[in-house]
């Protein structure tokens, strides 16, 4: 027995090997161009329906100019964490503008969106406390809960009765109660019922935390996210999110009441002990934010494209569940078939992300089709027609139940 046997015998490695042998392995494909309406993947130009570049800002000249200027002024790294030598005046400028954009008193920015959840959750809740999570919340939320040592209580997806029942069960416990949800669900593409979550929270004196990773730039006033979409920014305690999607950069943030954010800046380990957001990334976010605030045309185009795609997909009888945003899941409900269909689509010049467990539940394997403001109607039409043909040729009718 070698010490590496557990790695070689791992199911993950065996499955990856099988997929490689059958030419269906879909992960880590190198891209050699900007990701916009198209991209060059392994030398092939494809229609790109698999990015999170919702507003199409990824290759915007003003943002690239801002990033270049920041490198020229500050260099390429901050060489330390925010807590120590890693705070730039540029970070403060961004935090200041972001808090106004989100309508909150204070904001801190993190190196990644993932680190927001793994930093904030353990700081807000610990042993003896309860965190209530939607069963479809993102992996970073689950990890944040695990790291917190609080009891994690899952409620059924977007089911506020179930959340209420679970909150009621713990009504006599003394600890902190915190409810966290994705603002737009990252794979299923539906919007959290945050207005009703906030009502339940107030009955039980629970904190509310919405992760707007996919909602920033997409929902709400100028794209201020899910709380703004419902007009309940005041009632939501914490708004988190990332810069890696609509904002064409990398990094994350959490916004809230001044005291809570001050506390988090001294208690979130992923904020305190990780190198801060590099100058170019920070400047890119600032430039994106300014564009988003001053020009609604990107968001309008994104929603036009979204409504068009949703209508076409439903006309083609594709199973897209409760999709209502630029993230459209096309359910295939079988992992191998999902890989196969994604490969066939790539052969025909269309990139979509195949998503299987643990990204989604075992029987919910899907193609994640995502739109950007950069797509044209013709591109959307062509992609959906091709997807419909390929899905119907390879996926048995019973999988496509609605
Ligand atoms: N939260 C949600 C809901 C996400 O979907 C993601 C990434 N897909 C993250 C957090 C992590 O963000 P990042 O990739 O910026 O670290």
């Amino acid at each position: 027995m070698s010490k590496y046997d557990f790695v070689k015998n791992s199911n993950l490695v065996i499955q990856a090997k099988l997929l490689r042998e059958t030419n269906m392995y879909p992960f880590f494909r190198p891209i050699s161009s900007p990701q916009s309406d198209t991209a060059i993947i392994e030398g092939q130009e494809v229609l790109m329906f698999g990015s999170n570049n919702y507003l199409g800002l990824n290759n915007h000249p003003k943002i690239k100019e801002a990033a270049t200027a920041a490198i020229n002024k500050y260099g390429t790294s901050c060489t330390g964490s925010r807590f120590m030598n890693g705070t730039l005046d540029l970070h403060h400028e961004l935090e200041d503008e972001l808090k106004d954009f989100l309508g909150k008193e204070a904001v801190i920015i993190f190196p990644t969106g993932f680190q927001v959840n793994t930093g904030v959750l353990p700081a807000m809740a610990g042993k003896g406390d309860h965190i209530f999570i939607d069963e479809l919340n993102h992996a970073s939320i689950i990890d944040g809960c695990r790291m917190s040592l609080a009891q994690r209580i899952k409620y059924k997806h977007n089911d506020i009765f179930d959340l209420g029942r679970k909150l009621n069960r713990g009504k006599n416990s003394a600890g902190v109660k915190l409810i966290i949800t994705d603002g737009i669900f990252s794979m299923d593409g539906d919007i959290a019922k945050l207005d009703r979550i906030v009502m339940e929270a107030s009955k039980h004196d629970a904190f509310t935390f919405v992760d707007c990773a996919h909602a920033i730039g997409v929902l709400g006033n100028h794209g201020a996210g899910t709380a703004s979409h419902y007009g309940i920014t005041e009632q939501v305690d914490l708004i988190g999110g990332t810069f890696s999607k609509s904002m064409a950069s990398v990094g994350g943030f959490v916004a809230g009441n001044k005291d809570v954010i001050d506390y988090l800046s001294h208690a979130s380990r992923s904020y305190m002990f990780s190198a801060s957001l590099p100058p170019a990334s920070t400047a890119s976010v600032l430039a994106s934010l300014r564009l988003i605030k001053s020009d609604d045309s990107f968001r309008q185009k994104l929603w036009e494209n979204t409504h068009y795609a949703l209508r076409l997909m439903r006309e083609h009888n594709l199973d897209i569940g409760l999709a209502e945003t630029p993230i459209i899941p096309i359910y295939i409900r079988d992992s191998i078939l999902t890989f196969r269909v994604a490969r066939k689509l790539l052969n025909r010049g269309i990139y979509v992300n195949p998503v299987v467990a643990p990204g989604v539940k075992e029987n919910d394997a899907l193609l994640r089709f995502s739109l950007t403001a950069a797509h044209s109607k013709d591109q959307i039409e062509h992609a959906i027609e091709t997807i419909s043909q390929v899905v119907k040729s390879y996926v048995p009718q019973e999988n496509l139940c609605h």
Side-chain angles (χ1 to χ4, degrees), residues 325-343:
T325 69
I327 302 170
I328 307 185
I330 302 167
Y331 294 98
I332 306 294
R333 304 189 189 283
D334 177 291
S335 307
I336 296 295
L337 273 178
T338 302
F339 290 132
R340 192 156 179 221
V341 171
R343 175 76 241 183

Side-chain angles (χ1 to χ4, degrees), residues 107-123:
V107 169
I108 47 175
I109 56 176
F110 286 67
T112 69
F114 203 100
Q115 282 170 271
V116 173
N117 292 326
T118 55
V120 172
L121 290 168

Side-chain angles (χ1 to χ4, degrees), residues 53-61 63 246-248 288 291-292 298:
N53 175 30
Y54 301 122
L55 297 178
L57 298 181
N58 182 39
N59 198 31
H60 195 287
I63 301 176
S246 284
M247 301 188 83
S288 304
L291 272 175
I292 292 171
F298 302 107

Side-chain angles (χ1 to χ4, degrees), residues 230-280:
Y230 287 108
I232 54 168
T233 299
E234 284 264 302
Q235 290 104 295
V236 176
D237 295 297
L238 291 171
I239 300 176
T242 85
F243 303 134
S244 58
K245 305 180 196 299
S246 284
M247 301 188 83
S249 185
V250 70
F253 66 87
V254 65
N257 157 304
K258 222 172 179 176
D259 293 333
V260 176
I261 297 302
D262 189 34
Y263 162 74
L264 287 173
S265 72
H266 294 89
S268 291
R269 292 166 67 83
S270 59
Y271 174 80
M272 295 158 66
F273 298 113
S274 186
S276 60
L277 202 62

Side-chain angles (χ1 to χ4, degrees), residues 192-252:
K193 293 176 183 156
L194 193 60
D195 51 344
R196 297 185 50 206
I197 291 176
V198 161
M199 279 159 65
E200 280 306 315
S202 73
K203 286 190 221 160
H204 296 271
D205 208 17
F207 279 99
T208 44
F209 179 6
V210 60
D211 177 346
C212 283
H214 299 272
I216 288 295
V218 175
L219 288 182
N221 189 24
H222 296 301
T226 310
S228 164
H229 168 74
Y230 287 108
I232 54 168
T233 299
E234 284 264 302
Q235 290 104 295
V236 176
D237 295 297
L238 291 171
I239 300 176
T242 85
F243 303 134
S244 58
K245 305 180 196 299
S246 284
M247 301 188 83
S249 185
V250 70

